[in-house]
Amino acid sequence: MRAFSYERATSPQGAARALAATEGAKFIAGGTNLLDLMKLEIETPTHLVDVNDLGLDTIEDSADGGLRIGAMVRNTDLAAHARVRRDYAVLTRALVAGASGQLRNKATTAGNLLQRTRCPYFYDTNMPCNKRAPGSGCAAIDGYSRQLGIIGTSEACIATHPSDMAVAMRALDASVETVNADGDTRTMPLADLHRLPGDTPENETTLEPGEMITAVTLPPAIGGRHFYHKVRDRSSYAFALVSVAAVVQADGTGRVALGGVAPKPWRREEAEAALPDGAAAAMAAILDGATPTDDNAFKVTLAERTLTAVLAQAQE
């Protein structure tokens, strides 16, 4: 691990200002992803800004009847919150499906959204990776790509986003609140937070330099039955090959977001109109334009079968 300096921020704006003022600086909260990357010298921050003491660790009802979740709320606390379990159950189920209890005790809401891909070529510093070393190439495209993306990818990168929580939040139409070094705030749909790789896979989000996530907001509850089905190689502590977050209403309409298939939580709202026609029709629309490799073409069928299981359970 390379040497770095450290400071503990005392306000959200101060944290954003400290990050913007130092080239190579990074925020640190739970550190469950960043510290691993630092040990491997994939991330080499010159300065760490600790954001744990900013009072961003509460969950509150919002004025419109929704829920506001502070950026530093730990995954364990979010999954166990009474209103999340009652009104946003898909979120609880996604959180519990992710990582281990020990990691959930440390991992934060904002950190979960911003965690980096688990593509094996990203983690292997002996291999070319445009996300880690822009312009070096993508070893995954001609390599072993079973776990990697089938849609939203590019010729520069086929990595997937690893978060379970983000997939559920995408199905719930979550929004993200931020602050920058000047104290300016903004709110954006979660759908706009993550970028597709295109020619610049190293640019993973639409956050500006120094901009900090302060909260995630959920709109008023939409009812229905909530499901999170995660298909993986092991029954626990493994990232998704395919995951389906779904909220299904009594008339068969609903929302569907996918994990394990794209560089961001994957949802196509226009495709959800096909849900009452069955999983095959809906998934054909959701994955229209998919470009799987020989290694991961099975994910197209696996996604349809996972949604079939969800819809069958919803009808029980």
Side-chain angles (χ1 to χ4, degrees):
M1 185 182 290
R2 300 186 186 182
F4 57 89
S5 53
Y6 170 90
E7 71 174 284
R8 190 174 293 243
T10 58
S11 71
Q13 182 183 354
R17 186 183 300 119
L19 199 78
T22 307
E23 185 177 355
K26 293 280 185 180
F27 294 127
I28 186 166
T32 57
N33 186 206
L34 178 60
L35 291 178
D36 286 343
L37 295 174
M38 289 173 64
K39 292 173 184 177
L40 294 170
E41 296 193 356
I42 295 169
E43 292 274 12
T44 56
T46 58
H47 184 64
L48 292 182
V49 181
D50 190 325
V51 295
N52 281 293
D53 294 338
L54 303 184
L56 302 176
D57 57 353
T58 59
I59 304 173
E60 303 169 319
D61 293 339
S62 56
D64 65 355
L67 204 63
R68 186 176 186 273
I69 303 160
M72 296 301 112
V73 171
R74 307 294 164 169
N75 287 176
T76 295
D77 296 331
L78 182 57
H81 189 271
R83 188 157 177 230
V84 174
R85 293 176 64 186
R86 185 187 73 228
D87 294 338
Y88 306 99
V90 64
L91 180 53
T92 289
R93 289 173 177 142
L95 285 163
V96 172
S100 65
Q102 294 94 327
L103 286 173
R104 293 196 299 270
N105 288 342
K106 292 292 293 181
T108 63
T109 299
N112 194 308
L113 292 177
L114 299 177
Q115 62 182 301
R116 306 203 68 187
T117 183
R118 268 41 176 206
C119 174
Y121 297 100
F122 173 74
Y123 271 78
D124 186 349
T125 56
N126 294 309
M127 302 297 291
C129 171
N130 288 317
K131 190 179 286 291
R132 172 172 34 79
S136 63
C138 177
I141 290 177
D142 294 321
Y144 184 64
S145 54
R146 178 174 178 271
Q147 293 180 305
L148 302 178
I150 62 173
I151 195 164
T153 57
S154 72
E155 294 182 357
C157 182
I158 60 171
T160 56
H161 192 271
S163 174
D164 293 292
M165 184 196 79
V167 179
M169 286 186 166
R170 182 69 183 88
L172 292 169
D173 277 337
S175 296
V176 176
E177 297 179 5
T178 70
V179 65
N180 66 16
D182 296 325
D184 298 326
T185 62
R186 66 167 171 155
T187 301
M188 74 176 91
L190 178 61
D192 295 340
L193 175 65
H194 300 104
R195 295 178 184 267
L196 294 180
D199 296 329
T200 56
E202 71 276 14
N203 296 327
E204 297 177 340
T205 74
T206 57
L207 296 175
E208 299 295 332
E211 190 173 14
M212 176 184 170
I213 295 175
T214 54
V216 174
T217 57
L218 301 178
I222 59 171
R225 299 191 66 188
H226 291 221
F227 303 90
Y228 189 76
H229 281 212
K230 181 177 181 180
V231 183
R232 45 189 164 176
D233 288 325
R234 300 190 302 274
S235 61
S236 64
Y237 201 57
F239 294 97
L241 291 170
V242 168
S243 65
V244 172
V247 180
V248 184
Q249 304 296 337
D251 62 0
T253 62
R255 301 176 181 179
V256 175
L258 303 183
V261 300
K264 62 188 293 184
W266 193 257
R267 181 182 173 201
R268 280 180 168 162
E269 286 88 334
E270 67 276 11
E272 293 167 353
L275 271 177
D277 299 326
M283 197 56 68
I286 293 168
L287 293 180
D288 182 41
T291 55
T293 66
D294 291 341
D295 290 335
N296 63 24
F298 71 93
K299 287 191 177 189
V300 176
T301 302
L302 183 60
E304 179 187 326
R305 291 179 178 176
T306 305
L307 182 58
T308 298
V310 167
L311 297 180
Q313 188 176 349
Q315 293 171 2
E316 293 177 358

